[in-house]
Amino acid sequence: MKIYRYPEKKTWPELTKRPVIEREEISGLIAEIFEAVEKNGDQALIKFNKKFDKAETPQIAVTEAEIENAAGQISENLKKAIGQAKENISKFHTSQIQETEKIETTSGVVCWRENRAIEKVGIYIPGGTAPLFSTVLMLAIPANIAGCQEIILCTPPDQNGCINPAILYTAQLCGISKIYKTGGAQAVAAMALGTESIPKVYKIFGPGNQFVVAGKEYVQRYGVAVDMPAGPSEVLVIADHKAVPEFCAADLLSQAEHGSDSQVVFITTDFKVFNETIEAVGKQLKKLPRSETARQALQHSCFILTESLENAVEFSNLYAPEHLILAMEDFEKYIPIVENAGSVFLGNYSCESAGDYASGTNHTLPTNAFAKNYSGVSLDSFVKKITFQHLTKKGLQNIGRTIEIMAEAEGLLAHKNAVSIRLK
């Protein structure tokens, strides 16, 4: 881990850099994968499953029997936990439904905006060493609330050619039946291009490794939208003298265990909290099953001692973290100056894991400083907004001359005539 004591502001841009991912060598592979999927469809996916996941999958689609059998393979405690999380996530995202409001901008001129669900969406769920069934909840729930007509789910199979039962159970609970055994960039390609089994979608959601991220970047040239640019997971913790070092260390490690390319940043004004947090990280790290992954992530992570909490928030705004934790007593004071963050956790008991699973907010968030210009997934992510307007004869008379003058000034006389012919 890298330790900095009172770094000068001129060094901050260097400290906010993320681990570099070699894009050049990946981009060629992504192009090859898309070409293969476009040309060979399901057969390409079956081949990639064997090559990348060591899995034999004679067919890509998950059967009804596989989905039904999943419930018997997970504990009742886990089912209950998933149920509570689903309830909270549903409640929070349902609250985002907005009523249509018609605005009369001028007498006789009424404008409004209505939501329409994106008809076909694809969600990508990472499998592998960490099968993220929680992400099924985060994406399927708002998609259902929005009214998306078709929801496609892709996730990589294990070496036995099976999907994690918790993913299948959660998908069924959320009303998803179109589930496919394919992962990585090839899954993104399949949802964008369509295959014999997998329908083409209009927008793709979900986190993933660097190949999934690169696939989502590549897919936009096919006219398919994505939720956001994303990358490895990250958290920034700001702590004052009242912060609990053991809590801070646990939050840092909760993100470090995601992957060796994850990044965590810890900033405090208190020397004692600074040292004790570093010590606690070392102790807790030894007890983690994924300790080697977390240890690699810590190699490019930062621990910073700074002069003031204002300084810390200023640094955070420059870094623009996916997750920001304000482990401080007077956090209310600093909320107004938080400019760039995917999701913010306030106080000593608001652990980042709460947002990952069950508090109700969405855990699909912008990383790699994209919190400067992107929001996390919400109900809005699954809808388009269409504007409507109705002008009466009197309404057109009220703004007609304004339109004519502006159109003529731009040299667009057909635009002017569309008004003039009606006013005559």
Side-chain angles (χ1 to χ4, degrees):
M1 61 183 73
K2 300 171 184 175
I3 295 174
Y4 302 93
R5 292 182 174 85
Y6 310 109
E8 295 181 31
K9 283 191 179 182
K10 65 182 180 181
T11 67
W12 286 8
E14 187 63 30
L15 301 187
T16 61
K17 286 183 178 177
R18 270 60 168 189
V20 177
I21 296 173
E22 295 300 328
R23 295 282 186 188
E24 292 301 318
E25 56 189 69
I26 293 177
S27 60
L29 178 59
I30 298 300
E32 289 175 17
I33 287 171
F34 270 73
E35 186 178 341
V37 172
E38 188 169 22
K39 186 177 179 182
N40 300 315
D42 284 356
Q43 287 307 309
L45 301 179
I46 291 167
K47 181 180 173 184
F48 287 133
N49 282 344
K50 190 171 183 177
K51 180 178 180 180
F52 296 128
D53 296 306
K54 308 293 185 287
E56 294 283 353
T57 50
Q59 64 176 45
I60 294 299
V62 174
T63 64
E64 285 184 21
E66 287 177 287
I67 296 172
E68 288 169 6
N69 292 338
Q73 299 175 56
I74 63 174
S75 70
E76 290 303 315
N77 280 342
L78 180 53
K79 290 177 187 175
K80 195 182 220 179
I82 291 170
Q84 184 178 12
K86 181 177 183 288
E87 186 179 338
N88 290 347
I89 295 163
S90 298
K91 192 180 295 183
F92 183 72
H93 288 76
T94 299
S95 74
Q96 296 167 21
I97 297 172
Q98 294 180 331
E99 294 296 322
T100 299
E101 185 179 2
K102 294 188 175 182
I103 305 297
E104 189 171 48
T105 57
T106 298
S107 179
V109 180
V110 179
C111 304
W112 69 97
R113 192 168 70 161
E114 294 188 11
N115 288 350
R116 295 291 185 272
I118 297 171
E119 295 162 82
K120 302 177 182 182
V121 298
I123 62 179
Y124 182 82
I125 306 299
T129 57
L132 300 187
F133 61 88
S134 58
T135 304
V136 179
L137 296 172
M138 298 293 174
L139 299 176
I141 289 172
N144 278 322
I145 294 169
C148 299
Q149 293 174 23
E150 191 168 40
I151 306 171
I152 306 303
L153 189 155
C154 288
T155 189
D158 62 20
Q159 292 188 5
N160 296 315
C162 299
I163 302 300
N164 184 281
I167 290 177
L168 294 179
Y169 171 78
T170 308
Q172 184 184 41
L173 192 67
C174 293
I176 298 177
S177 57
K178 294 182 178 180
I179 306 169
Y180 302 93
K181 302 175 181 180
T182 178
Q186 59 271 27
V188 178
M191 289 188 280
L193 302 168
T195 70
E196 301 93 322
S197 297
I198 303 177
K200 180 178 178 178
V201 303
Y202 300 155
K203 189 172 183 178
I204 297 172
F205 296 78
N209 62 19
Q210 57 187 330
F211 296 99
V212 174
V213 172
K216 285 171 70 178
E217 290 173 357
Y218 193 84
V219 85
Q220 293 173 79
R221 66 184 64 191
Y222 291 90
V224 177
V226 299
D227 48 3
M228 70 190 78
S233 192
E234 58 198 33
V235 66
L236 188 149
V237 179
I238 299 176
D240 68 1
H241 64 291
K242 290 285 190 178
V244 182
E246 289 79 10
F247 294 179
C248 295
D251 285 325
L252 294 166
L253 289 170
S254 73
Q255 291 308 292
E257 76 171 353
H258 264 294
S260 58
D261 51 0
S262 296
Q263 188 175 46
V264 301
V265 179
F266 179 71
I267 311 177
T268 184
T269 52
D270 190 275
F271 191 72
K272 184 170 180 285
V273 170
F274 185 69
N275 288 330
E276 289 182 4
T277 299
I278 293 173
E279 186 181 341
V281 166
K283 286 180 181 177
Q284 292 180 27
L285 181 63
K286 294 173 185 175
K287 300 175 183 178
L288 293 177
R290 295 170 66 90
S291 60
E292 186 51 38
T293 298
R295 184 175 282 107
Q296 290 176 38
L298 288 171
Q299 287 176 6
H300 43 73
S301 296
C302 302
F303 289 73
I304 300 170
L305 192 63
T306 190
E307 293 89 350
S308 68
L309 293 173
E310 287 79 8
N311 250 7
V313 176
E314 187 180 349
F315 180 93
S316 175
N317 285 331
L318 183 63
Y319 183 82
E322 177 188 18
H323 307 100
L324 171 62
I325 298 175
L326 301 184
M328 56 179 74
E329 185 178 34
D330 195 15
F331 57 78
E332 294 278 1
K333 175 183 173 184
Y334 298 93
I335 290 174
I337 61 172
V338 173
E339 297 289 343
N340 303 317
S343 191
V344 185
F345 302 79
L346 306 168
N348 283 325
Y349 289 91
S350 300
C351 56
E352 186 276 328
S353 303
D356 269 356
Y357 292 105
S359 64
T361 61
N362 208 292
H363 76 200
T364 311
L365 302 166
T367 65
N368 203 29
F370 280 109
K372 290 177 179 175
N373 42 35
Y374 278 86
S375 308
V377 164
S378 67
L379 189 64
D380 279 352
S381 307
F382 293 88
V383 300
K384 308 157 295 183
K385 297 175 184 292
I386 305 173
T387 57
F388 294 83
Q389 55 201 283
H390 174 242
L391 280 69
T392 63
K393 184 177 181 181
K394 184 68 176 174
L396 184 60
Q397 289 172 345
N398 286 337
I399 64 169
R401 187 62 188 141
T402 294
I403 299 168
E404 287 178 319
I405 292 168
M406 293 176 73
E408 188 169 358
E410 288 189 344
L412 299 176
L413 296 185
H415 279 65
K416 177 186 176 183
N417 187 55
V419 174
S420 303
I421 202 168
R422 286 174 166 82
L423 293 181
K424 289 175 184 176

